[in-house]
């Protein structure tokens, strides 16, 4: 079977384009998140990968789980995925949809790990600097890792800025060994 991210790309693109035209991008994002979490559940995953069930039955399982949470167009999308045996790709579709949404909204999710909790003032200054550097609105999620000694590690997509004391010590150690 092809890579799930490859399978997900055209479905996510089609869903995003429809949601954009209908001005329901946020609603679609939350509904896709809901069904992606549902199919990631062990019991639901076992049902949608069960070869004894037809594609329609597998789609009905997901629709039953999402009952009351999904609008008609998302239900039709789920039926299409079921008919094409692509329900397992829902988490990858949701992930790709989120990337398209972030690109459209010019936002980026940034994970900041620090040795100590950052103050509101430090967070605001960091947000301002990253917004300028990345040219996008920044959504920061912070984590504390006391093993870092000091400094920050910033992750935004595939970019990593390691300003931690541990990172600098590791670089110094590599330089001395070379």
């Amino acid at each position: 079977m092809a890579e799930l991210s490859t399978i997900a790309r055209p479905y996510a693109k089609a869903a995003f384009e429809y949601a954009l035209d209908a001005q329901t991008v946020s609603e679609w994002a939350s509904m896709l998140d809901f069904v992606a979490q549902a199919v990631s559940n062990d019991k639901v995953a076992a049902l949608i990968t069960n070869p004894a069930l037809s594609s329609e039955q597998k789609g009905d399982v997901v629709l039953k789980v999402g009952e009351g949470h999904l609008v008609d167009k998302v239900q039709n999308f789920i039926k299409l995925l079921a008919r094409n045996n692509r329900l397992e790709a829902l988490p990858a579709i949701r992930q790709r949809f989120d990337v398209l949404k972030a690109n459209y909204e010019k936002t980026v999710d940034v994970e900041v790990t620090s040795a100590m909790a950052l103050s509101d003032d430090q967070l605001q200054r960091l947000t301002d600097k990253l917004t300028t550097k990345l040219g996008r609105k920044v959504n920061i999620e912070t984590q504390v890792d006391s093993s870092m000694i000091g400094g920050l590690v910033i992750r935004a997509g595939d970019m990593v800025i390691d300003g931690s004391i541990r990172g600098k010590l590791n670089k110094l150690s590599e330089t001395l060994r070379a």
Side-chain angles (χ1 to χ4, degrees), residues 3-96:
E3 183 80 28
L4 284 179
S5 61
T6 303
I7 292 168
R9 192 175 299 119
Y11 289 103
K13 184 175 187 256
F16 181 77
E17 287 174 355
Y18 174 80
L20 191 59
D21 287 345
Q23 298 180 344
T24 56
V25 172
S26 293
E27 292 85 354
W28 269 74
S30 65
M31 287 182 271
L32 285 175
D33 186 48
F34 180 85
V35 293
Q37 287 181 30
V39 300
S40 296
N41 174 286
D42 292 339
K43 291 179 182 175
V44 176
L47 286 170
I48 66 170
T49 57
N50 183 344
L53 295 178
S54 70
S55 296
E56 185 179 332
Q57 290 171 318
K58 293 174 183 180
D60 289 342
V61 166
V62 176
L63 291 174
K64 189 70 173 166
V65 170
E67 200 169 44
H69 296 282
L70 309 175
V71 296
D72 290 344
K73 297 295 183 184
V74 174
Q75 290 176 15
N76 290 341
F77 185 68
I78 301 300
K79 290 175 186 175
L80 173 71
L81 292 173
R83 200 169 36 252
N84 293 330
N85 294 314
R86 300 296 192 221
L87 288 172
E88 299 106 20
L90 267 165
I93 292 168
R94 187 227 5 110
Q95 186 176 34
R96 184 70 189 146

